[in-house]
Amino acid sequence: MTKPTAERRPLQSMTGYALATRDTPAGQLAVELRSVNSRFLDLSLRMPDELRIAEPPLRELIGGAVQRGKLECRVALRAATGADAPAAVDRAALERLAALDATVRAALPDAAPLSVGEVLRWPGVIAEQASAESLVPAILEAANEALADFVATRAREGRRLAELILERAARIDEIALQVAARAPELLAAHEDRLVERLRGALERLTAGSDQASPTAIPHDETMARVRQEVTLHGMRIDVDEEIGRLRAHVAELRRILAGPGPVGKRMDFLLQEFNREANTIGSKAAALEMTNASIDLKLLVEQIREQTQNIE
């Protein structure tokens, strides 16, 4: 199997499971992989001490295919017993011993026949247990098979997560467009209400004052200043820039998800920007409609964050 690389593999989830087995002279080998979320690659290998010789190549193999996740790799060996015991007899050695026995009997017909116990104790008849070194290729072969299934499982889950995220991103873009369309109308209505409140306050303030006072500011000039302040206030609560940046973030999110993995860390940073724009829109809200839009945006961003926490 060609070893997967970070450059070629698709977006992946950080949760996955796979199991592969191999039959060997020493018994059945099993390599099991399972992972959950983690900010970095946290790889732990659990195996019998006599098989620790396989740990360095295993770490290299897994590290080349996985970038993030708390991953546990278990290697187990179930020794051959019971019905598998005859496999421990070296038939070639047994045949050689039989040939020697025939030669001896031809020369010494009265020689006592070999007992089963004597045959089994004869050097080489019982095959030596497979050494740990001889099991390394089988361990890596099983690990390769398990890793291929593991990566494929994580990729399938990654595609599903990407679909969920893109659905929410589309909703964010939709809200941004709605706010952009309604913002001028809402802002104008807000300014009109503000002007009327200020006009009413000024009228009440000047109702009992001396209109002939030399320090009195003419009504038209006062209203002009009021409108100027209202316009400045409108500029401060304008959300056009935030909407533009929000839509740019949506486009970037789509671009990231369309590319190869791993993307989780880039998504984490991008979501901080999403949240910043949503908070700013809320702080500038000139109407209940915009406040509600800000709340909806923050909820969607949080939902995306929850999904992103499981993406490599």
Side-chain angles (χ1 to χ4, degrees), residues 4 70-71 128 184 228 273 279:
K70 183 177 177 61
L71 194 156
E128 294 182 2
Q228 183 180 19
E273 300 303 309
N279 283 330

Side-chain angles (χ1 to χ4, degrees), residues 142-214:
N144 257 311
E145 179 183 332
L147 193 57
D149 186 28
F150 180 77
V151 169
T153 299
R154 285 166 52 117
R156 287 193 297 271
E157 178 67 11
R159 288 193 295 271
R160 190 183 72 83
L161 291 173
E163 290 171 359
L164 294 174
I165 290 173
L166 288 173
E167 288 176 5
R168 286 154 178 79
R171 178 57 185 151
I172 288 176
D173 203 33
E174 181 182 339
I175 292 175
L177 287 172
Q178 291 172 353
V179 171
R182 291 278 290 146
E185 179 184 346
L186 295 172
L187 185 57
H190 174 73
E191 290 179 355
D192 289 342
R193 289 193 300 271
L194 187 56
V195 167
E196 289 304 316
R197 286 199 296 270
L198 289 173
R199 186 201 304 273
L202 284 172
E203 289 177 352
R204 289 192 297 273
L205 183 64
T206 60
S209 65
D210 182 4
Q211 297 297 323
S213 171

Side-chain angles (χ1 to χ4, degrees), residues 178-260:
Q178 291 172 353
V179 171
R182 291 278 290 146
E185 179 184 346
L186 295 172
L187 185 57
H190 174 73
E191 290 179 355
D192 289 342
R193 289 193 300 271
L194 187 56
V195 167
E196 289 304 316
R197 286 199 296 270
L198 289 173
R199 186 201 304 273
L202 284 172
E203 289 177 352
R204 289 192 297 273
L205 183 64
T206 60
S209 65
D210 182 4
Q211 297 297 323
S213 171
T215 60
I217 301 175
H219 182 271
D220 291 344
E221 184 179 345
T222 300
M223 291 307 302
R225 292 186 182 180
V226 166
R227 291 190 179 278
Q228 183 180 19
E229 291 299 321
V230 169
T231 300
L232 292 174
H233 174 71
M235 293 174 62
R236 288 193 294 270
I237 65 174
D238 183 34
V239 295
D240 281 350
E241 291 186 4
E242 287 74 16
I243 293 300
R245 286 194 294 267
L246 197 60
R247 299 201 66 203
H249 296 335
V250 170
E252 177 64 10
L253 185 149
R254 289 169 173 158
R255 188 193 67 79
I256 289 175
L257 291 179

Side-chain angles (χ1 to χ4, degrees), residues 64-83:
V66 181
Q67 295 296 310
R68 295 177 69 193
K70 183 177 177 61
L71 194 156
E72 181 181 274
C73 173
R74 288 181 177 268
V75 179
L77 176 62
R78 189 180 67 182
T81 57

